Amino acid sequence: MIYTIPEALANRLRPLIPASIPLYTQRATVDMVSEGQPPVAVAIRFIRPAPVRQLPGAVMAYDVEIAFIVLVDEGRATPADLARAESIYTAALQSLVEWEIAPGRMTRFSDGPAPDDEAGVALFSFGVVVPTFITSTP
């Protein structure tokens, strides 16, 4: 169940990302430096599950946190690429405000991975928190 959440988010956000920009999910290796790679890419990554509370009836609530990351190769990005990256980031945020991944399971936002600028590739991100529930077995 946990690993289906990043794919559900990818399905929701894929229409917002131009076909020329790669969308990496889960274990795919992001390649920003090989020849022919576009200067902007998007990644959706599982961060962690976090127990939240015990509920009546042997149910535990926990949050699954996913990161939405926009990567930009600053050395190759044009002003149009930077505008496209910002547009994707904003559209993704707007698309997930109060989105219910399933009835009664509304997404919230959290911090994503820290901003980075490794090897000239900047990333900016946000976290998406999806409430999840597990019941005990007899």
Side-chain angles (χ1 to χ4, degrees), residues 22 26 29-30 35 45 65 68 72 79 86 95 111 133 136:
Q26 282 316 101
T29 301
V30 177
E35 189 172 327
R45 298 278 193 250
E65 191 172 358
F68 178 84
V72 180
E86 183 177 350
S95 177
D111 295 337
F133 304 93
S136 68

Side-chain angles (χ1 to χ4, degrees), residues 5 17 20 25 36 41 50 53 63 71 74 79 91-92 111 118 123:
I5 294 172
I17 301 166
S20 61
T25 57
R53 66 189 174 283
D63 288 337
L71 301 107
E74 293 177 314
D111 295 337
E118 188 175 317
L123 73 83

Side-chain angles (χ1 to χ4, degrees), residues 6-133:
E7 195 56 42
L9 289 172
N11 289 338
R12 171 116 176 134
L13 299 174
R14 193 168 274 120
L16 306 175
I17 301 166
S20 61
I21 296 178
L23 171 60
Y24 297 94
T25 57
Q26 282 316 101
R27 297 170 197 242
T29 301
V30 177
D31 182 2
M32 295 294 293
V33 294
S34 293
E35 189 172 327
Q37 292 298 316
V40 176
V42 173
I44 295 175
R45 298 278 193 250
F46 171 80
I47 297 176
R48 71 180 156 268
V52 176
R53 66 189 174 283
Q54 188 74 32
L55 300 171
V59 175
M60 186 188 79
Y62 67 100
D63 288 337
V64 174
E65 191 172 358
I66 308 298
F68 178 84
I69 307 164
V70 178
L71 301 107
V72 180
D73 184 334
E74 293 177 314
R76 296 184 299 128
T78 65
D81 293 325
L82 296 173
R84 191 174 300 115
E86 183 177 350
S87 175
I88 292 168
Y89 184 83
T90 302
L93 278 169
Q94 291 170 330
S95 177
L96 296 174
V97 170
E98 295 188 351
W99 177 55
E100 285 187 317
I101 192 168
R105 294 176 60 205
M106 189 176 300
T107 56
R108 302 184 317 272
F109 295 104
S110 68
D111 295 337
D116 198 0
D117 189 0
E118 188 175 317
V121 176
L123 73 83
F124 48 104
S125 66
F126 61 87
V128 179
V129 177
V130 178
T132 307
F133 304 93

